[in-house]
């Protein structure tokens, strides 16, 4: 039988149909297997883990067939309990599959300390970013007579003068004493003249 006749024969047509049916059945079975192995359509909403301890996180996620990974601790945040979750990824409400890992960060037990930087004779505008970069906050501003307007002259914490290199807790408010730019100097020669004894002028003789 020639190739042309075979391609147009009933036998070839039936073989094509059989092959197509086999491919369709295999594709159907593969999709069902894939759905079963990936648990397609079964998703879990990530719970809010904020303020929970690591033990509470483990217990809560176990109930949902989820896992967690502790990434690190963060600088102490007073609005969260010690050793509680302050950050998580994915965020609460995100839909995830069974077995997904939730990444968390834990609050530290307290503020760490930092060294007071050298802000003396720097401007207030320069001092503020430096303080914030170290986790400190600018506190009360006091002005005293000095030619350097807005120049830092003293640093204080709760009324105590601070020196460069002193250690304070992060989040402390550092009070700054600034110059008001209004100081003036008295000319020494004028001061000397003002204190000299007056000179008496004799009366004209009559």
């Amino acid at each position: 039988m020639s190739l042309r006749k075979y391609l147009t024969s009933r036998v070839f047509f039936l073989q094509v149909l059989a092959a197509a049916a086999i491919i369709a059945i295999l594709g159907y079975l593969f999709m069902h297997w894939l759905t079963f192995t990936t648990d397609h359509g079964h998703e879990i909403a990530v719970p809010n883990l904020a303020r929970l301890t690591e033990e509470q996180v483990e217990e809560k996620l176990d109930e949902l067939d989820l896992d967690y990974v502790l990434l690190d601790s963060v600088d102490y945040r007073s609005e969260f309990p010690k050793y509680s979750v302050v950050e998580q990824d994915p965020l609460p409400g995100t839909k995830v599959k069974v077995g997904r890992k939730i990444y968390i960060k834990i609050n530290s037990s307290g503020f760490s300390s930092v060294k007071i930087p050298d802000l003396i004779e720097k401007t207030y505008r320069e001092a503020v970013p430096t303080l914030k970069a170290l986790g400190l906050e600018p506190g009360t501003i006091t002005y005293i007579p000095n030619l350097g307007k807005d120049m830092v002259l003293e640093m204080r914490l709760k009324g105590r003068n601070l020196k460069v290199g002193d250690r304070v807790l992060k989040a402390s408010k550092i009070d700054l004493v600034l110059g008001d730019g209004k100081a003036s100097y008295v000319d020494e020669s004028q001061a000397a003249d003002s204190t000299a004894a007056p000179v008496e002028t004799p009366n004209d003789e009559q």
Side-chain angles (χ1 to χ4, degrees):
M1 181 182 292
S2 66
L3 179 61
R4 183 177 180 181
K5 288 184 178 180
Y6 174 73
L7 293 176
T8 57
S9 66
R10 182 179 180 184
V11 174
F12 176 74
F13 180 71
L14 291 176
Q15 288 177 341
V16 170
L17 288 179
I22 292 172
I23 292 173
I25 292 171
L26 290 176
Y28 177 80
L29 293 175
F30 175 76
M31 291 302 297
H32 272 266
W33 173 83
L34 188 63
T35 299
F36 175 77
T37 55
T38 59
D39 202 19
H40 180 70
H42 184 201
E43 294 183 326
I44 302 169
V46 176
N48 186 0
L49 304 177
R51 300 178 179 277
L52 298 183
T53 64
E54 188 175 354
E55 292 76 13
Q56 292 171 325
V57 166
E58 183 175 9
E59 182 179 347
K60 190 164 191 174
L61 294 183
D62 279 346
E63 296 174 355
L64 299 173
D65 292 327
L66 298 175
D67 200 359
Y68 77 96
V69 175
L70 176 59
L71 293 179
D72 198 3
S73 60
V74 301
D75 288 337
Y76 181 69
R77 300 184 187 177
S78 58
E79 66 271 25
F80 288 89
K82 297 178 181 179
Y83 305 114
S84 68
V85 175
V86 296
E87 296 180 19
Q88 68 177 87
D89 181 36
L91 296 174
T94 304
K95 298 290 186 178
V96 297
K97 301 236 177 110
V98 170
R100 173 65 185 271
K101 292 181 179 179
I102 312 300
Y103 298 91
I104 61 173
K105 291 184 179 181
I106 299 292
N107 198 20
S108 299
S109 60
F111 290 117
S112 57
S113 65
V114 294
K115 288 184 177 180
I116 289 293
D118 187 2
L119 303 179
I120 303 301
E121 296 188 354
K122 296 185 182 297
T123 65
Y124 180 74
R125 183 174 294 182
E126 293 173 324
V128 170
T130 303
L131 289 174
K132 290 187 175 181
L134 294 172
L136 302 172
E137 293 293 332
T140 303
I141 298 174
T142 304
Y143 287 95
I144 62 175
N146 189 279
L147 285 176
K149 182 171 176 56
D150 292 329
M151 185 173 68
V152 178
L153 303 175
E154 296 178 21
M155 301 174 289
R156 298 174 180 172
L157 175 63
K158 298 180 180 178
R160 176 174 62 90
N161 283 349
L162 296 172
K163 296 179 298 183
V164 176
D166 286 349
R167 301 198 72 92
V168 298
L169 294 177
K170 277 190 175 182
S172 296
K173 290 187 176 182
I174 307 303
D175 300 329
L176 300 175
V177 178
L178 309 178
D180 61 6
K182 297 179 181 179
S184 61
Y185 294 104
V186 178
D187 188 275
E188 292 182 0
S189 61
Q190 293 180 356
D193 291 343
S194 64
T195 58
V199 177
E200 295 183 1
T201 304
N203 295 328
D204 293 338
E205 294 183 356
Q206 295 181 352

